[in-house]
Amino acid sequence: MIALLRRDLALAVRAGGGFGLALVFFLIVVTLVPFAVGPGQVQLAAIAPGILWLGALLACLLSLDRILALDYEDGALELIATAPLPLEAVAAVKALAHWLTTGLPLVLVAPVLGILLNLPGPGYLWVVVSLAIGTPALSAIGTFGAALTVGLKRGGLLLSLIVLPLYVPTLIFGAEVARRGALGQPLETPLMLLAGITLASVALLPFASAAALRVNLR
Amino acid sequence: MSDHSLRPVSSLWEFANPVRFMALSGKILPFVWVACVACLGVGLVWGFFFTPDDYRQGSTVKIIYLHVPSALMAINAWFMMLVASLIWLIRRHHVSALAARAAAPVGATMTVIALFTGAVWGQPMWGTWWEWDPRLTSFLVLFLFYLGYLALWAAIEDADTAADLTSVLCIVGSVFAVLSRYAVVFWNQGLHQGATFSMDKEENISNVFWYPAVLSMLGFGLLFVALVLVGTRTEIRLRRTRALMARASAE
Amino acid sequence: MMRVSDLAIVRGGVPLLAGLSFAVEPGSALILRGPNGIGKTTLLRTLAGLQPPAAGQIEVPEDSVAYASHADGIKGQLSVVENLNFWARVYGMADVTDAVLERFALQDLRARAAATLSAGQKRRLGLARLAVIGRKILLLDEPTVSLDTASVGRFASFLQDHLDAGGSAVIATHIDLGFTATVLELAPYKLDAPALTASDFDEAFL
C-alpha cells in the first residue's frame, strides 16, 4: 500500500502527471468570478467563501478521471487487482493520493485566493479549516465515481454528472462553515456535520469503489 | 426452458424468472391499465371540477391533484429502484435489475412533473416560479440523481455490468440523496407549506379534498406500476433479442 | 498445485468453454492452444480471479498466482528499476537485483524512463515483473508478443528455471518455447450454444 501511494505521488509530480493543473484551474476560476459579477468589494466579500468552495470543488472534479483511468488503460489496474492488495485498500490509497496531490494544495492556496475576493478577516481560518475537513470527502466520493466509470471510453463528462449530485451535502456544509466563519457566526453544527460526512465517506466509500472496480475489471 | 411455466408457483422468487414474469405481467397489465385510467379519470375530474375552491388559495389549489401524487411517486420510484438494486446484487435476478432500469425514467418524469406543477402553483402563491425552498431544492437534487443514474445505464454496453454498476450507484446515491435532503433543510428553512396530506388528515384538509386526492394518488401509483411493467417487459424482450443474436452469431 | 474441475467461462454474457478439468503440478507447464476468440484470455483471467467462473471450481493455494496480460502495466514516467521495484514492494518482496535485470537484458536500460523503451524492451520489462514478485503459478497471456528470437530464448530459459525450482505456468501461446509442457487444446470444450441454462447467462431470457 505504501508502495502504491509512493508510486502515485511520484507519477503525479513527474512530467505529464498533471500536478498543479487543478491549482491553476482554481486560480483561473477565482479570477473570472469578479469579471462575471463585478468588482464591488462588498459584493465579492459576501460571496467569497462560497466561490472558494465551489472553485476548489470544480478543481477537484477536473482531476478525478486521472485517478484510475490511466492505470486502467495501460493494464496496471488489472495487475494491481491480482496482486495481494485488497481492492478496498487500493481505492482508499488512490483517494488518499488524489487528496495529497489535489485536495491539500487547494486547501493551502485557498487563503491566497481569498485575498483576491476580499474575503473578510475571520474567514481565512475557516475557509482553510472547512476545506481541509471537506476535501477528503470530495476525493473519496470522486474515487467512487472514477471507479464506476473507469471502463468507459468517454467517461469524463459522465463522471461529472454522477459525482456532482453526490457532492451536494459536502458543498452545503463546507460552504456553510466558511460563510459563517467569515461572518463570525457560530459554526459548530455544520462543522460537525461536515466532519461526519468526511469520516463516513472515507471509511465506507472505498468498499463501494472496490465493488465497482471488481465489476469493471471482469 | 418453457417448462418453468408448467410447475405451480412455490415461491415469490419464481417471478424473478423472466419467462414467468413475462407470462404473469402480460396477464395483469390490462387490469392495471384499466384501474389506473379509472382512478385517474375519476380522481382528477372530481378534484378539478367538483370540489370547492380553497378560501385562501382559490382554484390554484386544484393543481394539488397532480403535484402531490407525482411528488409521492418521484420518491417512491427511487425507493423501488433501491430495493430492486439490492435484490439484483444479492440474488442476481435479471428481472429485478431491469425493473430498476425501467423505473428510473418514470421516476425522473414524475420528478419533473412535481417540479413543474410546483412552479405553476408557486407562481400565484409565492409570486415566483422558483424559490430555493428545501423541498423544491431536494426535488431538483433528486432529479440530478435520476439523470446520473440514467446516464450510467446508457453509457455501459454490457448489460450485466451496467446492472451491477447502476445498482452500486443507486445504493450509494440513496445515502447521499438522504444526506442532501437534510443538508438542504439545514441550508434554507423555506416557505413551502408542511405536508399537505398526513395520516391525521383532519388537521390539514377536509374530506372534500381528501377523497379525490386519494384517488389520484392511487391512480399515479397504478400508472407507475403499469409503466414499469411495460418498461421491464420491453427490456426483457431486448435482452432476449440480444441473447438470440449472440447465439446466432456463435453458431 | 492448481486444480480446475468442470470449469465453464463466459465473456460478455456469451458462454465460451465448459467442462474444463485439468491440474497443473509443481514443476510443470500447461500450454493453452486454440483459435482466436475461443477464450484463452478469458480462461486466464478467470484463473487469475479477475472474473468469476460461470460454473465449476478452481483450487489454488492462497497468494500463489501471478497474471501477465497483453498489457504490461508499465508506467512511462518511471524508470525500469522503479517499475520493477514498485511491483516487488506491492508483493512484499525485495527490490530487483542485477541478476534479474541481466536475465532480461535490461541492465543497460535500468535508469531509462520506461516511456522511451521499444515495444520489445517494454515486453521484457513486463516479463521481468514475474521474476521479482515471487509467485509460484504464472498465468501468461501471449508472453512472447513483440519479442525477438533472442529474447524469446531468454524468457524460455527463465521459465525453465522457474519450473525447475518447483514453480508452474499456464501459458497461452502459439510458438514453441522449447521446453516440455502439456498442451491443452481448447477446441473440444467449445460450447455449442445453448448447452447451458445457468441463471447467470443471458440464456435465462430464452
Side-chain angles (χ1 to χ4, degrees):
Chain A
M1 276 169 68
I2 303 291
L4 183 60
L5 181 62
R6 283 175 57 181
R7 186 200 70 152
D8 274 14
L9 294 182
L11 286 175
V13 294
R14 287 193 191 179
F19 180 75
L21 281 183
L23 286 181
V24 177
F25 179 84
F26 193 18
L27 170 67
I28 292 174
V29 167
V30 168
T31 313
L32 291 183
V33 166
F35 298 152
V37 303
Q41 295 282 332
V42 180
Q43 201 177 359
L44 284 179
I47 60 169
I51 296 298
L52 288 174
W53 250 92
L54 192 59
L57 183 145
L58 292 176
C60 230
L61 186 74
L62 199 68
S63 49
L64 288 182
D65 62 337
R66 302 181 66 94
I67 298 181
L68 295 163
L70 297 178
D71 276 343
Y72 182 81
E73 279 159 19
D74 64 18
L77 199 56
E78 263 188 2
L79 300 181
I80 289 172
T82 58
L85 288 178
L87 268 180
E88 287 79 6
V90 172
V93 167
K94 287 277 176 188
L96 176 61
H98 178 259
W99 184 72
L100 287 174
T101 55
T102 310
L104 189 58
L106 290 175
V107 174
L108 298 177
V109 83
V112 182
L113 299 183
I115 298 171
L116 294 178
L117 293 174
N118 190 32
L119 184 68
Y124 287 93
L125 172 66
W126 293 110
V127 162
V128 171
V129 168
S130 63
L131 280 174
I133 294 177
T135 43
L138 300 184
S139 290
I141 296 168
T143 306
F144 169 65
L148 278 181
T149 55
V150 70
L152 298 171
K153 289 281 179 298
R154 298 168 303 280
L157 193 57
L158 180 66
L159 175 59
S160 313
L161 200 64
I162 288 172
V163 165
L164 281 177
L166 300 176
Y167 275 177
V168 167
T170 319
L171 174 65
I172 286 179
F173 291 126
E176 187 72 8
V177 171
R179 193 183 64 82
R180 290 190 182 190
L183 297 175
Q185 293 173 350
L187 43 68
E188 285 76 15
T189 318
L191 190 64
M192 295 304 228
L193 289 167
L194 179 66
I197 287 178
T198 295
L199 289 176
S201 302
V202 169
L204 299 178
L205 274 179
F207 292 94
S209 310
L213 275 181
R214 265 187 209 106
V215 173
N216 266 322
L217 287 173
R218 250 189 347 224
Chain B
M1 263 151 280
S2 51
D3 58 323
H4 287 298
S5 48
L6 300 177
R7 285 184 287 109
V9 178
S10 58
S11 131
L12 185 65
W13 294 111
E14 286 211 10
F15 293 113
N17 172 282
V19 178
R20 260 210 192 260
F21 175 84
M22 288 301 272
L24 179 80
S25 61
K27 262 181 232 148
I28 66 167
L29 197 49
F31 297 103
V32 178
W33 274 121
V34 168
C36 164
V37 170
C39 283
L40 272 185
V42 174
L44 291 182
V45 171
W46 185 355
F48 284 158
F49 300 109
F50 300 100
T51 55
D53 289 352
D54 186 81
Y55 72 97
R56 256 181 320 122
Q57 308 193 353
S59 59
T60 56
V61 75
K62 293 183 174 178
I63 205 166
I64 210 169
Y65 301 109
L66 290 175
H67 180 67
V68 172
S70 58
L72 195 68
M73 290 324 296
I75 296 171
N76 284 348
W78 186 277
F79 186 67
M80 181 235 135
M81 282 156 57
L82 173 63
V83 173
S85 298
L86 284 169
I87 293 176
W88 160 249
L89 284 183
I90 296 166
R91 301 204 52 149
R92 314 293 297 173
H93 292 310
H94 286 91
V95 173
S96 176
L98 297 180
R101 174 174 203 175
V106 184
T109 312
M110 292 288 181
T111 317
V112 172
I113 295 175
L115 284 171
F116 179 76
T117 53
V120 171
W121 192 8
Q123 211 285 326
M125 286 301 99
W126 305 332
T128 170
W129 294 101
W130 181 259
E131 183 65 40
W132 287 95
D133 161 89
R135 282 198 186 206
L136 294 187
T137 314
S138 302
F139 269 86
L140 188 58
V141 173
L142 180 64
F143 183 56
L144 298 180
F145 276 96
Y146 272 120
L147 290 184
Y149 179 88
L150 283 167
L152 189 62
W153 259 113
I156 304 168
E157 278 166 36
D158 183 76
D160 279 358
T161 307
D164 281 336
L165 293 177
T166 51
S167 297
V168 175
L169 176 63
C170 185
I171 292 165
V172 173
S174 302
V175 176
F176 277 88
V178 172
L179 271 179
S180 304
R181 169 89 185 104
Y182 285 106
V184 164
V185 170
F186 178 86
W187 164 76
N188 188 2
Q189 326 290 341
L191 33 90
H192 196 291
Q193 53 185 288
T196 313
F197 303 120
S198 56
M199 296 310 278
D200 48 347
K201 61 184 170 83
E202 284 78 12
E203 288 180 11
N204 283 313
I205 189 166
S206 57
N207 283 345
V208 248
F209 297 113
W210 175 250
Y211 293 126
V214 167
L215 271 179
S216 358
M217 284 195 269
L218 201 60
F220 265 78
L222 287 166
L223 178 64
F224 174 73
V225 171
L227 289 174
V228 169
L229 283 180
V230 170
T232 312
R233 287 167 64 81
T234 311
E235 295 290 340
I236 289 177
R237 289 203 174 101
L238 276 173
R239 285 292 294 270
R240 187 180 285 173
T241 315
R242 215 175 306 157
L244 284 170
M245 279 163 65
R247 176 188 287 188
S249 65
E251 274 163 5
Chain C
M1 191 168 223
M2 170 181 265
R3 204 164 301 281
V4 169
S5 45
D6 206 24
L7 185 71
I9 57 172
V10 282
R11 180 181 59 215
V14 182
L16 295 174
L17 302 168
L20 268 175
S21 296
F22 58 82
V24 185
E25 298 303 330
S28 72
L30 181 73
I31 294 195
L32 305 177
R33 287 263 161 80
N36 287 338
I38 194 160
K40 295 189 291 290
T41 297
T42 309
L43 175 58
L44 285 169
R45 286 173 55 84
T46 309
L47 294 178
L50 282 170
Q51 57 186 72
Q57 259 106 47
I58 303 166
E59 291 167 48
V60 281
E62 205 177 333
D63 283 347
S64 62
V65 173
Y67 170 62
S69 59
H70 290 278
D72 292 312
I74 292 168
K75 288 295 162 191
Q77 300 104 307
L78 301 183
S79 74
V80 167
V81 169
E82 280 171 329
N83 267 300
L84 289 175
N85 282 348
F86 163 67
W87 289 113
R89 285 170 196 163
V90 164
Y91 281 80
M93 305 298 288
D95 282 355
V96 62
T97 59
D98 287 345
V100 170
L101 289 173
E102 268 167 48
R103 176 122 231 188
F104 290 88
L106 293 166
Q107 68 276 23
D108 297 334
L109 306 168
R110 55 187 307 148
R112 280 263 292 277
T116 63
L117 299 182
S118 75
Q121 289 167 332
K122 274 187 187 155
R123 189 81 236 201
R124 293 214 299 272
L125 172 54
L127 294 174
R129 183 181 73 92
L130 299 169
V132 298
I133 60 178
R135 286 295 164 99
K136 285 289 188 196
I137 306 174
L138 307 181
L139 305 173
L140 309 173
D141 195 355
E142 301 286 358
T144 55
V145 169
S146 49
L147 289 184
D148 56 22
T149 325
S151 302
V152 171
R154 284 175 186 281
F155 180 60
S157 89
F158 160 74
L159 268 185
Q160 186 63 63
D161 288 355
H162 178 75
L163 299 181
D164 291 345
S168 55
V170 181
I171 313 165
T173 183
H174 290 282
I175 66 160
D176 186 12
L177 284 167
F179 57 81
T180 50
T182 326
V183 171
L184 179 66
E185 279 290 348
L186 291 178
Y189 300 98
K190 181 170 167 20
L191 262 188
D192 293 323
L196 287 171
T197 57
S199 66
D200 234 28
F201 299 126
D202 268 5
E203 304 285 324
F205 286 93
L206 295 172

